[in-house]
Amino acid sequence: MAGSTSKTIHDIFQSMEYGPSSSSTATAQAWLESQSRALGLFIDGKFVRSADRQTCNVTDSSGGTVCSTVCAVDEDASLSVSSGASGFKAWSAVPCHLRAKTLLRLVSGLQRHGQCLSELCDLARSPSSPSALVRLLQYYSGWAQLRDSLIPDWTPRGVVVVVVSDDCSLYSLMLKVLPALAMGNAVVAIPGAGTAPPVLLLAQLFVEAGLPAGVLNVVTGNVLSLGSKVSQNPHVSYVTYSGNKKDGEILCRATAGMGVPVSLSLSLGATCPFVIFESADIDSAVDGVIETAFKKNREYQWMLCVQESVLDSVVARLKVRMAGMKSVPLLAEGDRRLVDAAVQEAQQQGATLIQPCPPPSSGAAYPPTVLCGVAPSCSCVVTPSPGPLLPLLSFRSHGEGVTLGNHSPHGQAASLWTEDLTLALEAAKSLSVGAVWVNSHSVMDPSLPISGHKESGNCIDGGKEGLFQFLRPSSSPPLTRSSPASVDYPKFGTAASSAIIPEGSNSSSTPRSYLQYVGGKLCKSESGSSVCVLAPGGTVLAYCPDGGRKDVRNAVEAAIKVQPGWMKKSPVARAQCLFSLAETLELMRRDMAASLHSQTGLSLEKADMEVELSIAQLCDWAARCDKERGGVPSVPQSGSALSIPEALGVVGVVLPDSSPLLSMVSLLAAAVAMGNAVVMVPSPKYPLPALEFIQVLQSSDLPGGVVSIITGGRDQLTQALANHSVIKAIWYWGSMEGCQFLQHTCASPLKSLWLHCQEEDGGRDWAQPHASLQEEMWRQAVQWKSVWIPTA
């Protein structure tokens, strides 16, 4: 019409201005008013407000106060766990189908109150989609229904503490809360400041849906302080955290020695590669960059990697697409200083900028910025600042692109863009990340397992695989809690081993001096010293090397050379190697039984039985090699998804005193069958069965370096394993002090830990091959990757 001021679609695409959006928050404001804008703690099925508690204001994007939340104190933390313990007794006794009904009832409640929840998330600067939460509820209600039939012989842990950092999303919190509830646990949730209002609303809706009082408690305040206080309670069985790496490390160290397992999902601040190959649809790829890289609230920081042959084309399209974009609000005033510093450093190193407009002189906003030509070592790549910055790097070949994608210390996710499906699958397999999206990005569904690789966590969320963190084998004893010991972390493991025999001493009185096994070769320890091995009567039975840090270093160096090739071997080839170990052990059966008898005092009959069970374990894990291969999850989106178990890498194993041969063979076989290399530390009390087993390794087809066996002091070698950055996981049987040291030390660089205190867990019956215990070993030996390939 003449004189009309309305814009055409062509005008909108030319200007790239944001369209009108609904800013009404009336529903959320009404709910906040019903709570007097002073949100209490949610304990035992109701809101709790104590007049003498300090409060914390939740602010909106303009700095205005939305509401206040209570800062919980020790008394509140204790009350929430006590309520959770009572709730767990009731909830775990509820039949699976009734737990599923309760979760499904919440779906209808969430649909009724979805507008209020969405507005609360927007007000508190923690956007989340109610439809995504509905999908979470529907998925995990299904697992609540099927737990006993599809996951038999597993039982809920008890009271689970879920901690998220202040900058974490509601979706990330509920991705842990809902599976924990579905498996029959009680949950104490400790949300960040922005997530607290919507979580408190959800807790209220849960009770209205029929969740028993105490099953879900929400306490607010300083998340790190509260997480530590709540974890100290002896009724807590598991702690899981989602958020940034710094807070995760602090929580890990604060809970060290409490006897409770802690897992971390460190997606926030992780640098994820966005890789554009020359075979990509460039227009679609650039659209994807714009959609995901400059969002105000995003959990991933992206690094754009572009093949050189299409670099100019990508840069030209970025300039066009970014021309009409506006400055993006930062989450906090202090972030502006960090963004300015990162841009200045990149420019000093030769980077050029693509910006739609100059940065404002001050204020918590910054324009979307591409940093072209930065070096992989630049801090904006390794430790990105919180802001709309996108470093752009180039590569020549496909292999170089994968190498560049693996450069980051993080391993959360990657986005690959190519029309070549073979290239996409090869690159997806080679990238050390937990999720790969092909020609897409940020595809989230609870059926897809995401396992943080490298510094992005040691926890699996999503899929059936993510349920096991909230379960324990029914045949294993319940968790035994402890109080932190007085451990001098810098000095742990530095004392000399007892009963050391210096090099050159007369050893003619001993039957034999053993050598250790490193990189496929027999060798002395780097120290040149040995330790006495005593018979049950106290007489010297033999000498074995006193290994240390340098021996561990040599073993890991050998392992990293051979492990990638071992992992790439077909499952059938790995199975044949394990079968060859079993055949060789059968040939040495009599000698191994005699060694067990002389070392441990077992009768020859029982020693022979342990050898027999060890042979059976090798055959069992050989048979599993090509049976445990992941799957194809069903997802609501149009496309195909894969869930793939992958080897961890190099695993350190500190072996128990009980069943020295059978425990060693069981753990070795589980790790090696999945493609890992292992550095094994035999029991200092009973090292001879492991040293005799070296002959089996030498006579087998197993490549040298896949297994190394180092004897010596348990604490000394544990300290060496913990401080080696290449080792990805440690399985430990030892003292409470050793467990505490590992929890404290392995927070950075982050390692997966499987800890057992021998004083309390030494009674594990290795001779009973429970299916759930074997599955637990297998799940400790792998990390998961999900691959998403759209088809429309």
Side-chain angles (χ1 to χ4, degrees), residues 566-588:
W566 173 248
M567 177 179 63
K568 291 177 182 178
K569 279 184 176 291
S570 70
V572 174
R574 292 202 297 269
Q576 288 302 317
C577 288
L578 289 174
F579 278 127
S580 73
L581 285 176
E583 292 171 0
T584 307
L585 183 56
E586 179 68 53
L587 295 174
M588 296 182 58

Side-chain angles (χ1 to χ4, degrees), residues 27 105-116 205 208-209:
T27 309
R105 278 196 295 269
L106 181 60
V107 171
S108 60
L110 190 58
Q111 289 171 338
R112 289 195 307 272
H113 299 279
Q115 181 67 26
C116 180
L205 296 179
E208 293 175 2

Side-chain angles (χ1 to χ4, degrees), residues 406-658:
N406 282 329
H407 169 74
S408 168
H410 314 288
Q412 188 68 21
S415 177
L416 301 178
W417 293 78
T418 174
E419 297 296 295
D420 185 338
L421 182 58
T422 300
L423 171 60
L425 292 176
E426 288 178 350
K429 189 174 182 180
S430 301
L431 284 169
S432 183
V433 296
V436 178
W437 302 304
V438 178
N439 295 332
S440 55
H441 60 84
S442 310
V443 178
M444 305 298 293
D445 189 81
S447 66
L448 300 176
I450 297 181
S451 172
H453 292 212
K454 299 186 285 189
E455 291 293 297
S456 288
N458 53 13
C459 173
I460 302 169
D461 291 316
K464 178 182 179 181
E465 297 76 18
L467 299 175
F468 287 90
Q469 63 178 312
F470 304 112
L471 299 167
R472 62 174 177 84
S474 302
S475 56
S476 67
L479 181 70
T480 302
R481 293 295 305 270
S482 60
S483 299
S486 178
V487 177
D488 189 340
Y489 297 112
K491 293 184 179 180
F492 181 87
T494 58
S497 300
S498 59
I500 288 184
I501 309 300
E503 185 180 21
S505 297
N506 181 14
S507 59
S508 59
S509 60
T510 61
R512 182 175 176 184
S513 291
Y514 285 84
L515 298 174
Q516 57 191 12
Y517 189 64
V518 176
K521 299 177 182 178
L522 291 169
C523 59
K524 294 182 178 181
S525 65
E526 287 288 334
S527 68
S529 298
S530 299
V531 293
C532 293
V533 179
L534 303 180
T539 59
V540 176
L541 187 62
Y543 291 150
C544 68
D546 182 37
R549 179 180 57 84
K550 292 183 178 179
D551 300 284
V552 170
R553 177 201 63 194
N554 295 339
V556 174
E557 287 179 355
I560 59 178
K561 291 178 181 178
V562 71
Q563 189 272 331
W566 173 248
M567 177 179 63
K568 291 177 182 178
K569 279 184 176 291
S570 70
V572 174
R574 292 202 297 269
Q576 288 302 317
C577 288
L578 289 174
F579 278 127
S580 73
L581 285 176
E583 292 171 0
T584 307
L585 183 56
E586 179 68 53
L587 295 174
M588 296 182 58
R589 180 171 184 156
R590 180 175 297 179
D591 292 340
M592 292 299 299
S595 175
L596 274 171
H597 168 69
S598 63
Q599 169 81 101
T600 64
L602 282 175
S603 67
L604 282 173
E605 181 180 357
K606 289 185 177 179
D608 184 71
M609 178 57 68
E610 184 167 337
V611 178
E612 172 68 25
L613 290 171
S614 300
I615 295 170
Q617 279 290 300
L618 286 168
C619 293
D620 189 53
W621 284 106
R624 282 174 175 262
C625 279
D626 60 350
K627 308 299 188 298
E628 309 281 7
R629 302 310 306 163
V632 182
S634 298
V635 292
Q637 297 94 332
S638 176
S640 300
L642 305 173
S643 63
I644 307 169
E646 295 185 333
L648 296 168
V650 182
V651 178
V653 184
V654 183
L655 294 164
D657 294 336
S658 59

Side-chain angles (χ1 to χ4, degrees), residues 17 35 73 80 104 133 157 195 197 247 283 300-301 324 330 355 376-377 398 450 603 627 649 673 679 687 715 717:
E17 292 181 358
Q35 303 294 324
V73 298
S80 68
L104 283 174
L133 297 179
R157 286 183 179 267
T195 317
D247 289 351
D283 288 324
Y300 305 133
Q301 300 281 351
L330 302 175
Q355 288 180 326
S377 58
H398 296 161
I450 297 181
S603 67
K627 308 299 188 298
V679 179
D715 288 352
L717 292 171

